[in-house]
Amino acid sequence: MSKRKVKETHMPVGECISQVQMILRERFCHQRLPEKPVGMESQHKHLLELLRRTAVHGESNSVLIVGPRGSGKTMLLNCVLRELLEVKDVNKNVLPVHLNGLLQTDDRIALKEITRQLNLENVVGDKVFGSFAENLAFLLEALKKGDRSSSRPVLFILDEFDLFAHHKNQTLLYNLLDVSQSAQAPVAVIGLTCRLDVLELLEKRVKSRFSHRQIHLLSSLSFIQYLDNVRSQLSLPQDFPDTKFYDEWNDSIKTLCEDQLVVDVLQSHYNSSKDFRSLHLLLMLALSRVSASKPAIKPTDLLEASRVCMVDSKANILHGLSILELCLIIAMKHLNDIYEGEPFNFQMVHNEFKKFLQRKSHSIHNFDKPVVIKAFEHLQQLELIKSMDSSTAKIQKEYQLMKLLLDHSQIMEALQKYPQCPTDVKQWAMSAFG
Amino acid sequence: MAAQLQHLGYEDEKLQRVMERLPCRDVQASMLLALMGEQCSYPSIFIYGHRATGKSHVIHTLLKELELPYATVSCVECVSVGLLFEQVLLSLFGSDSASLLSRSPSLSDFVRVYKQLCVQASAKQTRYIVLDRAELLRDMEANLLPAFLRLQELVEDNVTVILLSEIVWDKFRPNTGCFEPLLLHFPDYSKGELQQILSEDSHPSYSPELYSAFINILLGVFYSVCRDLRELRHLAALHFSKFVEPLEQGKESDTHKLWRNIEPHLKKAMQTVYLREVSSVQWEQQLQMEEKEAGVVRGLSAHAHVELPYYSKFLLIAAYLASYNPARTDKRFFLKHHGKIKKTNFLKKHEKTSNHLLGPKPFPLDRLLAIFYSVVDSRVAPTASVFCQISSLVTLQLLNQVGHDDQLDAPKYKCAVSLDFILTISRCVYPMLYCPLVTDWNHCQTPASAAL
């Protein structure tokens, strides 16, 4: 650490804000790795120890990291890898191979990818192998160092591990785990998955070769820890050039996190999901409202961001329907109430609508049947109603059975917010017997 | 509003120009710009809203005017995944990049080639990939949607994927979850906003006030049925000439009288052009011919103008009666001397369910012929010509054959036409009587009612 005091630089507000945006966006959008992952110390230690044994001592291992979406599996793995590769010996020796279940949908593609990542394309050349196992053995053989006694350790990282289990015969998994059990070459097989029941997906021979070592990332943060995490996520790092702005910003974040409104918003978010990804989404929305004219995050920003996150999308879509379509939805709601959720067809809905027009309506015009059918089909396109049977049986479209994919409360709420809704329509919706 | 976006580094006049081209969409445009930011943005953004609410328009205007690197693909055009990949690479990296992809590329190939091209041309600014009609991605390969949502992570490049769709995000989510994108809603236009936007394309030779009065009238007729901006613009373009016709001819200039002139036309348009029964070209021809001869508008749906042979009409009427009346009532309707029909418990329970609501029921061929012989007004011999008329009705899709094709001895059919069509036919067949048979049956749905 230099003894010389860092010269205090003052930048204009606009530039400071750009810097702040860049730093924070890298954290929220580009998943920049934190110094130390929060709330997973024991898992971090466990994984680091395991991989060190493979990298340094040449011991083969297999492990599964299991946790729901957004709980930090990739973040944990990358932090561990970063720490591992800081050691110079390890850095020169270890070969990481990253495979992803979404991209490598076939074992053949996976094998080509492994070959490419191990930089052995030239070595393999045009060779034709009889089986997957032969190919893999050849690759691992090629990694042996000069004296043929030891081979470079390979870390196979399998993202979306459960998707690999759907390949034919699970050959890739079988062979990788086979290699990790036999003493051919030091490999570590690390799988990341979001499914808790991933072991049920594996075949018996594959499961027996797996070491059954699982690291669970079920986020166990308490609310206080969650608040601390929010504060540290929003704070600027030490090396920010403008110290005055740095102090101002961090102080404002501190007061922000103590504000009751903000605490309530964060509590409701914490109650619905504790994972990092949804937190990053919320903070990103709040961050987008920061600009040169408003260089701090206010509690209203967070409130607005929370509102955007928690909005019901179907209610938004209902807001934009025409009056005729809304009346059809109310007619369907009444049918659902009377017949307790049994499927209906267009004729029944039209009948209900005509009853309303005859008895109660003053403001709705009596539209022709084809116009009403067009409105009905529009609702079908928006996927607010769905056909019950997907068979292509020749039933006329007016008689095809449908069901409504909206809830009673959603419809009533949407009616409250509907702009310039005629009163007779509202009363019809609220009446019990249609 | 421009002050808010100043820090993003775009020139003021560019922003001004952009905002002028996006009427009534300032809030959404500024929110998008703020989210897009200067350097990097969230990996995936999902924009949803009704049709013609300006989703594609706003995004494309922003990306083009502000000269950001982007690739836009409409998923309707991508019958195969390879087309999607090719188009993205072409737009982002130039014309020789797509040749690096193999014949039918997989997602793995695409990511590999993208990474390769990235190394040569690294992104200082965020690249944007816009996928329009994204709901069709769900029907393509299962790994495509989750991969695009986290494309930034997979290719390790500063790229943001923007998905545009009419359908809400809840319907997109795969079973085991995926990377959740940022959801943005484009609300529908209010009536005032629609008026404002529609009034913008006024005809140069007429005053804007006249045009806005016309738009007001149009909205008054169509707003309760349709809020789609595109459809309303189409209707406005079609009807404006008719609206100003009296003005041109020098007859009227009062808006009220012009309205009275145009209103029946708008009402007729709702039955034809709005339903696309008649194309706009046909409609315009119709309007021109109006003065000379009053012709009936020939719609697209076959039912308006299909001409059937004499016995086919009777067969169709018989089929309708067979489909919509239960078999036990045949005795009462068609025989001269019939007894009473007792009402059983079953009938009492199901009294309310009208056949008109549930749809046509299948009936065997024998029953059709029995009703046919009692309905037709002359003696008909059971020749092959009568039977082959039944087959041609099936080909015309006026009858549907139910059951297997192989069943030759007792085929079953179902009537596939509506009551209106039958009434039209029966009017030709029974000109004197106006078909009391069919109207009678229309009312007597339950056999116990109607004391015959």
Side-chain angles (χ1 to χ4, degrees):
Chain A
M1 200 58 165
S2 151
K3 289 276 183 180
R4 206 163 30 100
K5 202 167 172 187
V6 176
K7 211 160 69 161
E8 296 225 342
T9 46
H10 291 286
M11 298 189 299
V13 179
E15 252 200 65
C16 284
I17 290 291
S18 304
Q19 282 273 38
V20 170
Q21 288 268 1
M22 188 166 79
I23 294 173
L24 292 183
R25 269 164 197 254
E26 285 225 325
R27 249 185 231 162
F28 302 150
C29 306
H30 283 197
Q31 282 91 36
R32 192 195 156 106
L33 294 179
E35 299 290 323
K36 258 227 161 325
V38 178
M40 20 175 117
E41 281 77 30
S42 59
Q43 288 99 334
H44 182 92
K45 224 167 39 176
H46 187 180
L47 190 62
L48 184 61
E49 194 47 45
L50 211 67
L51 292 185
R52 201 198 303 266
R53 289 215 295 267
T54 305
V56 177
H57 304 295
E59 195 184 289
S60 289
N61 272 317
S62 52
V63 67
L64 265 181
I65 307 179
V66 181
R69 295 258 173 210
S71 51
K73 305 181 286 292
T74 318
M75 179 174 78
L76 173 69
L77 183 65
N78 287 335
C79 283
V80 167
L81 281 178
R82 183 181 58 183
E83 213 174 301
L84 193 68
L85 294 174
E86 273 167 6
V87 182
K88 215 161 86 159
D89 285 338
V90 171
N91 199 356
K92 275 196 299 189
N93 253 347
V94 155
L95 289 165
V97 173
H98 292 268
L99 297 175
N100 194 314
L102 286 175
L103 299 178
Q104 278 85 44
T105 45
D106 199 347
D107 290 332
R108 222 176 9 95
I109 303 178
L111 198 55
K112 273 210 274 248
E113 189 63 28
I114 297 176
T115 318
R116 204 171 290 127
Q117 290 197 20
L118 292 175
N119 294 323
L120 291 177
E121 277 159 314
N122 299 330
V123 176
V124 167
D126 285 331
K127 275 203 180 59
V128 172
F129 294 98
S131 73
F132 191 98
E134 268 183 43
N135 200 342
L136 192 62
F138 178 79
L139 290 175
L140 292 173
E141 184 73 26
L143 293 175
K144 282 207 158 85
K145 293 203 280 211
D147 56 359
R148 299 211 151 247
S149 59
S150 64
S151 161
R152 296 176 67 176
V154 185
L155 302 177
F156 286 102
I157 298 159
L158 301 170
D159 236 325
E160 314 278 350
F161 186 81
D162 45 295
L163 293 179
F164 284 108
H166 292 304
H167 292 183
K168 185 164 174 273
N169 286 342
Q170 300 182 353
T171 34
L172 175 71
L173 291 180
Y174 175 72
N175 284 297
L176 283 180
L177 292 173
D178 197 33
V179 169
S180 77
Q181 288 285 49
S182 57
Q184 290 175 33
V187 295
V189 180
I190 307 151
L192 292 102
T193 177
C194 66
R195 292 184 65 159
L196 274 178
D197 63 341
V198 61
L199 285 183
E200 312 296 322
L201 297 170
L202 297 177
E203 277 182 22
K204 202 171 88 159
R205 57 182 185 148
V206 179
K207 201 179 346 187
S208 62
R209 282 168 172 78
F210 174 56
S211 69
H212 286 256
R213 219 178 262 119
Q214 290 186 47
I215 298 179
H216 288 274
L217 285 180
L218 308 166
S219 44
S220 52
L221 291 177
S222 70
F223 185 56
I224 309 293
Q225 286 173 316
Y226 188 77
L227 273 179
D228 279 336
N229 190 21
V230 170
R231 188 181 16 249
S232 58
Q233 294 269 8
L234 284 174
S235 308
L236 292 175
Q238 280 276 18
D239 54 0
F240 194 74
D242 189 340
T243 38
K244 181 161 153 291
F245 189 82
Y246 164 79
D247 289 328
E248 272 174 19
W249 178 270
N250 282 355
D251 286 334
S252 78
I253 294 297
K254 201 150 154 300
T255 38
L256 184 78
C257 292
E258 286 160 6
D259 187 295
Q260 189 55 39
L261 193 65
V262 170
V263 170
D264 288 337
V265 163
L266 289 174
Q267 177 81 57
S268 65
H269 261 265
Y270 177 77
N271 288 341
S272 56
S273 63
K274 292 191 213 174
D275 55 86
F276 296 109
R277 204 172 279 160
S278 48
L279 179 64
H280 285 172
L281 203 91
L282 178 71
L283 295 178
M284 174 69 193
L285 281 167
L287 181 69
S288 65
R289 301 160 74 84
V290 168
S291 65
S293 50
K294 195 173 80 73
I297 300 185
K298 298 263 177 331
T300 43
D301 292 336
L302 266 174
L303 191 63
E304 188 60 33
S306 165
R307 200 189 54 83
V308 170
C309 278
M310 308 272 235
V311 76
D312 180 13
S313 340
K314 278 194 187 164
N316 280 340
I317 292 287
L318 281 176
H319 187 271
L321 292 179
S322 66
I323 282 284
L324 178 60
E325 289 156 1
L326 193 68
C327 289
L328 288 180
I329 294 219
I330 298 173
M332 286 182 231
K333 174 183 97 74
H334 281 303
L335 281 175
N336 270 345
D337 289 338
I338 298 173
Y339 295 108
E340 279 153 24
E342 270 189 36
F344 49 82
N345 59 29
F346 171 73
Q347 283 290 108
M348 295 187 207
V349 176
H350 192 46
N351 203 27
E352 221 22 71
F353 178 56
K354 278 202 288 216
K355 281 201 289 198
F356 163 64
L357 286 179
Q358 279 165 9
R359 291 185 212 160
K360 296 193 196 171
S361 141
H362 317 290
S363 53
I364 311 286
H365 176 61
N366 187 4
F367 294 109
D368 290 333
K369 190 163 166 192
V371 179
V372 184
I373 292 186
K374 182 163 174 172
F376 192 75
E377 286 178 343
H378 184 220
L379 289 176
Q380 211 176 340
Q381 268 173 339
L382 288 172
E383 295 195 6
L384 292 173
I385 53 181
K386 194 167 101 135
S387 148
M388 282 295 286
D389 48 1
S390 51
S391 62
T392 48
K394 296 178 220 116
I395 313 179
Q396 284 170 272
K397 64 181 174 190
E398 291 113 343
Y399 295 109
Q400 266 178 350
L401 288 175
M402 305 267 179
K403 66 178 171 185
L404 182 65
L405 296 177
L406 288 171
D407 197 45
H408 181 104
S409 52
Q410 272 175 316
I411 302 175
M412 298 314 288
E413 255 185 65
L415 265 176
Q416 301 303 322
K417 298 201 198 118
Y418 194 78
Q420 296 162 339
C421 183
T423 37
D424 45 359
V425 172
K426 261 199 205 160
Q427 279 171 352
W428 178 41
M430 295 200 252
S431 71
F433 296 105
Chain B
M1 199 257 352
Q4 248 177 307
L5 304 170
Q6 223 167 25
H7 72 285
L8 294 172
Y10 302 120
E11 295 158 15
D12 271 343
E13 64 161 46
K14 262 197 199 169
L15 280 176
Q16 193 68 23
R17 221 179 22 230
V18 164
M19 289 302 161
E20 269 168 26
R21 293 184 58 181
L22 303 173
C24 306
R25 279 283 170 246
D26 316 335
V27 173
Q28 282 74 33
S30 50
M31 192 141 98
L32 257 177
L33 276 176
L35 279 174
M36 283 171 16
E38 247 180 302
Q39 298 94 6
C40 59
S41 171
Y42 208 70
S44 45
I45 303 178
F46 182 80
I47 302 180
Y48 67 102
H50 279 277
R51 261 181 285 166
T53 40
K55 306 182 289 290
S56 319
H57 179 63
V58 168
I59 286 276
H60 288 140
T61 314
L62 284 176
L63 292 174
K64 234 190 295 210
E65 290 291 322
L66 301 173
E67 287 163 12
L68 299 167
Y70 74 102
T72 171
V73 181
S74 172
C75 295
V76 180
E77 300 169 353
C78 298
V79 274
S80 80
V81 185
L83 289 170
L84 183 74
F85 296 151
E86 240 183 73
Q87 217 161 331
V88 169
L89 289 179
L90 254 168
S91 313
L92 287 179
F93 296 109
S95 46
D96 32 344
S97 57
S99 54
L100 291 171
L101 276 179
S102 59
R103 208 77 180 93
S104 53
S106 67
L107 189 58
S108 180
D109 293 329
F110 171 65
V111 168
R112 184 177 45 88
V113 171
Y114 192 108
K115 275 196 201 165
Q116 238 178 307
L117 292 166
C118 254
V119 166
Q120 296 160 9
S122 61
K124 296 170 218 61
Q125 242 180 348
T126 324
R127 294 198 180 106
Y128 295 96
I129 300 180
V130 180
L131 296 173
D132 214 341
R133 301 289 301 274
E135 62 263 18
L136 297 167
L137 276 178
R138 300 177 294 176
D139 307 325
M140 293 192 206
E141 292 173 10
N143 60 347
L144 206 57
L145 182 63
F148 266 109
L149 289 170
R150 35 166 40 141
L151 195 65
Q152 196 182 71
E153 206 181 300
L154 293 174
V155 301
E156 288 155 16
D157 181 37
N158 190 2
V159 62
T160 294
V161 176
I162 303 180
L163 299 163
L164 305 173
S165 175
E166 206 184 10
I167 298 183
V168 298
W169 172 250
D170 305 320
K171 309 246 178 202
F172 277 73
R173 210 177 271 130
N175 279 340
T176 46
C178 59
F179 187 96
E180 297 281 321
L182 221 143
L183 300 179
L184 208 59
H185 174 61
F186 266 49
D188 47 292
Y189 293 115
S190 68
K191 193 163 181 184
E193 287 173 342
L194 277 177
Q195 174 104 19
Q196 187 188 338
I197 299 177
L198 285 170
S199 309
E200 279 190 16
D201 32 48
S202 55
H203 209 265
S205 41
Y206 295 99
S207 68
E209 290 85 30
L210 183 69
Y211 197 78
S212 4
F214 166 63
I215 293 294
N216 215 356
I217 296 170
L218 187 81
L219 281 179
V221 175
F222 282 101
Y223 186 67
S224 50
V225 169
C226 159
R227 297 203 179 172
D228 190 341
L229 182 62
R230 258 183 239 142
E231 290 228 38
L232 290 171
R233 281 179 91 176
H234 177 67
L235 289 165
L238 276 184
H239 287 104
F240 189 60
S241 50
K242 185 73 191 172
F243 180 72
V244 291
E245 206 184 288
L247 218 83
E248 275 176 12
Q249 293 170 350
K251 281 194 236 162
E252 292 296 343
S253 58
D254 183 27
T255 327
H256 192 65
K257 303 245 177 62
L258 288 172
W259 170 65
R260 275 223 291 260
N261 182 32
I262 191 83
E263 206 194 352
H265 283 279
L266 288 178
K267 293 247 156 59
K268 197 156 72 156
M270 202 192 287
Q271 293 164 2
T272 48
V273 174
Y274 175 63
L275 299 173
R276 304 288 189 271
E277 289 268 323
V278 169
S279 76
S280 30
V281 177
Q282 272 179 303
W283 174 258
E284 279 167 355
Q285 285 170 356
Q286 198 68 37
L287 288 181
Q288 279 167 9
M289 279 190 344
E290 203 93 82
E291 276 95 55
K292 299 170 201 165
E293 68 223 27
V296 66
V297 180
R298 301 192 62 188
L300 271 179
S301 51
H303 298 177
H305 56 75
V306 106
E307 271 301 316
L308 291 174
Y310 188 64
Y311 286 147
S312 292
K313 293 194 182 123
F314 282 106
L315 278 169
L316 202 55
I317 296 175
Y320 182 83
L321 295 172
S323 272
Y324 284 96
N325 288 316
R328 61 183 178 283
T329 58
D330 286 348
K331 203 167 107 174
R332 203 184 76 197
F333 289 139
F334 298 110
L335 287 187
K336 285 211 193 328
H337 304 287
H338 56 88
K340 271 207 221 159
I341 292 187
K342 280 205 235 135
K343 205 159 120 173
T344 59
N345 275 338
F346 180 80
L347 293 177
K348 282 190 208 157
K349 227 190 332 179
H350 290 256
E351 226 164 23
K352 290 256 166 41
T353 50
S354 160
N355 274 341
H356 272 246
L357 293 182
L358 292 175
K361 302 272 185 326
F363 53 84
L365 180 63
D366 307 339
R367 191 169 162 227
L368 172 66
L369 289 176
I371 299 181
F372 172 62
Y373 290 135
S374 62
V375 161
V376 87
D377 53 0
S378 50
R379 289 186 67 87
V380 186
T383 56
S385 63
V386 173
F387 286 105
C388 80
Q389 285 186 27
I390 301 181
S391 303
S392 25
L393 283 177
V394 174
T395 321
L396 282 174
Q397 295 190 347
L398 298 171
L399 285 187
N400 285 333
Q401 185 158 10
V402 175
H404 214 258
D405 271 338
D406 290 351
Q407 232 180 338
L408 287 177
D409 55 344
K412 286 194 171 186
Y413 298 97
K414 216 158 55 160
C415 180
V417 291
S418 63
L419 180 61
D420 305 318
F421 189 55
I422 294 289
L423 284 175
T424 327
I425 289 186
S426 53
R427 238 172 265 142
C428 317
V429 166
Y430 299 110
M432 296 297 173
L433 304 174
Y434 188 67
C435 191
L437 296 163
V438 178
T439 45
D440 227 13
W441 276 299
N442 193 17
H443 295 310
C444 310
Q445 284 310 301
T446 53
S449 63
L452 261 181

